Amino acid sequence: MNYFSLFNLPVQFDLNLEVLEQKYQVLQKITHPDRYASASEQEQRLYLQKNTQINDAYHVLGSAVSRGEHILDVRKVPRASEQETIGDTEFLMQQMELREQLASAHDVVQLEILNKTIQATTADYNERITLLLNENTDDSNAKAAVELNKLKFVVKLSIETREREKHIEKSQG
Amino acid sequence: MALLQIAEPGQSAAPHEKKIGIGIDLGTTNSLVAIVQSGEAKTIADQTNAHLMPSVVQYQPDQVIVGQHAKLAADNDPKNTIVSVKRFMGRSLQDVTQHWQHLPYEFTQDEKNPAFITAQGVKNPIQVSADILIALKIRAEQSVADDITGVVITVPAYYDDAQRQSTKDAAKLAGLNVLRLLNEPTAAAIAYGLDQNTAQNNLGTNDGVIAVYDLGGGTFDVSILKLNKGVFEVKATAGDTALGGDDFDLAIVNYVGEKVALNDQQMTRFHRQLMSEAKRVKELLSTEESTLFTSDIEGHLHSVEITKTLLDTLISTTIKRTIETCSQALDDAKLGIENIDKVVMVGGSTRVPLVRNMVSQFFQAEPLTSIDPDRVVAIGAGIQADILVGNKPGNDMLLLDVLPLSLGIETMGGLVEKIIPRNTTIPVARAQEFTTFKDGQTAMMVHVLQGERELVDHCRSLAKFDLTDMPPMAAGAAHIRVTFQVDADGLLSVTAMEKSSKVQAHIEVKPSYGLEESEILEMLTASMQNANTDMQARMLREKQVEAQRVLESLYTAIEADGDELLSAEERDVIEFSLNELKKASEGDNESLITQQIEKVDALSQAFASRRMDKAINLALSGQSVDNL
């Protein structure tokens, strides 16, 4: 199942999320089970299935990592193994540094600085992955798969930073 | 009920016959029923002009009493009079007695599925709830002098699968066709017509984020809804099932107890009396600055002055706890206070001025209070029911709901692995793969849980599934794909398949709480016999109605799209089967009607699917034109 075509969108990593949401709402209005509450069981079943699929597609296309992985799936490119990510020493060093910053951050200001770095890093990865996936050769797709795995680490770090921030805000407030 | 007139192919359907949809707020303390009449949603009153019906059922040897009269009997006949049955829905006995001790009922031995022993024999919470629903249904039928097509029942947004399923089972037992289980906060937002500006004129600026703050007698929840171009989306919901306006009363009682030095024994013995005086004082202080708390304890008359300022001090801690929950819901919704545009107040306890003040201060928005907070949920349910039975074909409103609590399965070491996280938009399906750990293994057990904690013991057990009839293979060779589907009511169903052999594994569901499908059917049959209704007549009538629905929808579909989407041959085949179904539905052979429906179903499957794809393509292409 190609989720991009379900939404009538081009297969593209740097997706306009506003357009995605607009399309999602159009699809919801047509397929939501509430529209068929008094319909025959056949229609109820059919639209429940389709609506479920649309929700899943929106979820997958809505975040960068799963969207990128879905593009690889559509192109039948295998996902990169963990080994390839861990093999990249430069990446590992950067991650360790950021993690140290997170571990030693004790106030909101320090976390804000870290947040900025993470955001910039994420933007870098997004840009790189966009270029690789737009190129769409065997080689560029395979490279994109590795970059996506790295992006996953960055996203995880970003979530943990946010959680820490909330935690600190709570203990102060 | 008058069967719908079926239009012959080529003719349009008969002048639109109005279908009746009702909304029911099945509350812990009180229940209500609402209906849309002459374009306006209203709650329906009884002969004494009371809109609220106490959720109390008294089982006398020869009759069942529901509502106000049952409530009056509660003190004299506590054992047979079931109060606040909602607390028992989908719960074990221990779950309930943990919070509420000294219940006056006699229970059966079954700890997991508590049932009351009454003058009419054993009654489980589903049956008691069904009796409340029947009373509301009768009230509605008398008001419209017609049969009810369908019903929307509201449930707390925080309700888990077992509680939702039990509610739906109760409706089934009451002979109600459930159009949808609707979350209470969403219903409240609908009642305020927060969708309407956008749905009705394109200049509308009602888009925005709404917080629904619902503080009842014993429960609290808050939901964050987002409204965007006519789509209502529940972004997050959080709550506390053991916090409510009763805690305000308790705070007053504890203050008075200390002030006049009542001992523990007196506090327990006169608890009910003190609580009801506290309630009176609390309500009075919504408009007055000061009043006297008076009580007669063992001949001693006590009188304590309670000012509004003092009340505010006593209850502010409880309100603060609700505000913390509001903050958590905002976090879950990934939104800030500045995003909140409107706050809807639900539940009698929101009449307390300090509640309104603190809530509006927190959200920095003026709370909406113009609709009676006790009735607002039922009114919203009534509006939604009217839409779902099809009385408002042009209405563009849509509700997107979310799963209130994460669904997961038990893994090694008593840990829970989440499969669908909470606040995921429903309907949703997620698959999980399992493998065997022994050679030739043909069966496997899956334990499904709901909740946010990591340990099995801290989550709610929903069901255990036995996967059997798996093809025997070497250990680890079999890949069983288990799919968890949650429908638009938030109800879970599970299917499983062995991937390599495509063998559908058989699943036997043992719900941890609530009843099995077969038990519901048994209860249904039993209730029919008791009521001297002919079970078969009812089943036949339901089938006939279903047949009409199939006929009506396919005739309309063929008229609209038959030329474009069907070959002449396909069309002949479908129309022939429709004629057969029509003939069958005029007779009284129920199984023949079922057979014909299934036949029509199979023959028209591809057509239905083509129509859906056409509608989707049309809408999406229209959309891209708009964007250009």
Side-chain angles (χ1 to χ4, degrees), chain A residues 3 52 55-60, chain B residues 403 407 418-425 427-434 481-486 492-495:
Chain A
Y3 286 155
T52 303
N55 276 333
D56 192 38
Y58 181 63
H59 174 78
V60 167
Chain B
L403 186 70
L407 281 170
K418 281 180 191 163
I419 299 206
I420 309 179
R422 78 175 149 152
N423 291 330
T424 302
T425 306
V428 63
R430 294 278 156 87
Q432 183 83 8
E433 265 177 42
F434 297 90
R481 194 178 166 82
V482 179
T483 306
F484 298 82
Q485 163 91 51
V486 180
L492 172 72
S493 61
V494 182
T495 49

Side-chain angles (χ1 to χ4, degrees), chain B residues 58-64 80 117-123 530:
Chain B
Q58 184 196 15
Y59 290 98
Q60 291 181 0
D62 53 349
Q63 61 174 337
V64 180
N80 295 310
I117 300 173
T118 73
Q120 273 199 31
V122 174
K123 295 282 172 188
N530 289 345

Side-chain angles (χ1 to χ4, degrees), chain B residues 352-617:
Chain B
V352 175
L354 186 65
V355 173
R356 290 186 179 182
N357 291 345
M358 286 177 73
V359 171
S360 81
Q361 218 169 54
F362 174 76
F363 285 114
Q364 288 163 24
E366 196 56 40
L368 298 173
T369 52
S370 61
I371 303 177
D372 183 340
D374 283 322
R375 293 194 216 170
V376 62
V377 166
I379 287 171
I383 294 171
Q384 181 70 355
D386 193 50
I387 293 169
L388 294 186
V389 291
N391 286 338
K392 281 189 177 171
N395 189 295
D396 230 11
M397 184 185 77
L398 196 60
L399 300 176
L400 300 188
D401 237 327
V402 296
L403 186 70
L405 299 158
S406 304
L407 281 170
I409 47 160
E410 178 172 350
T411 60
M412 303 285 262
L415 292 173
V416 179
E417 185 184 332
K418 281 180 191 163
I419 299 206
I420 309 179
R422 78 175 149 152
N423 291 330
T424 302
T425 306
I426 52 172
V428 63
R430 294 278 156 87
Q432 183 83 8
E433 265 177 42
F434 297 90
T435 190
T436 46
F437 59 93
K438 268 190 209 153
D439 286 342
Q441 188 180 342
T442 58
M444 166 183 296
M445 203 265 286
V446 180
H447 188 189
V448 184
L449 299 116
Q450 192 162 26
E452 307 314 315
R453 307 282 292 277
E454 281 177 2
L455 291 176
V456 167
D457 290 346
H458 295 157
C459 283
R460 189 103 203 128
S461 168
L462 287 185
K464 285 180 178 164
F465 299 104
D466 282 322
L467 303 178
T468 54
D469 309 335
M470 283 161 27
M473 292 186 196
H479 289 277
I480 298 101
R481 194 178 166 82
V482 179
T483 306
F484 298 82
Q485 163 91 51
V486 180
D487 69 13
D489 288 322
L491 295 176
L492 172 72
S493 61
V494 182
T495 49
M497 187 194 270
E498 202 289 305
K499 269 177 82 184
S500 58
S501 62
K502 298 268 185 235
V503 169
Q504 196 84 28
H506 179 73
I507 294 187
E508 201 169 323
V509 186
K510 287 187 215 108
S512 308
Y513 302 92
L515 302 165
E516 287 178 45
E517 184 75 29
S518 60
E519 291 174 281
I520 298 292
L521 202 67
E522 249 168 59
M523 274 160 40
L524 199 57
T525 319
S527 74
M528 294 283 171
Q529 279 157 357
N530 289 345
N532 281 328
T533 2
D534 191 350
M535 174 84 167
Q536 252 168 349
R538 176 167 153 187
M539 303 273 272
L540 174 66
R541 212 174 63 165
E542 276 175 10
K543 267 295 168 242
Q544 284 172 330
V545 172
E546 196 190 324
Q548 300 310 322
R549 201 156 40 210
V550 172
L551 287 167
E552 198 185 9
S553 96
L554 266 168
Y555 279 137
T556 317
I558 291 173
E559 200 200 325
D561 290 319
D563 293 341
E564 189 190 333
L565 299 178
L566 287 173
S567 69
E569 203 182 5
E570 286 171 325
R571 187 172 175 150
D572 282 348
V573 171
I574 294 176
E575 281 181 349
F576 181 77
S577 72
L578 286 176
N579 274 331
E580 296 280 291
L581 173 60
K582 195 178 164 204
K583 267 186 253 165
S585 72
E586 281 156 8
D588 56 7
N589 185 341
E590 190 209 320
S591 66
L592 182 68
I593 303 176
T594 309
Q595 254 174 47
Q596 289 300 337
I597 290 177
E598 278 167 12
K599 204 164 161 191
V600 168
D601 202 290
L603 290 171
S604 61
Q605 186 88 42
F607 177 49
S609 198
R610 278 176 224 161
R611 291 194 77 216
M612 180 174 71
D613 291 342
K614 183 190 160 189
I616 289 175
N617 287 333

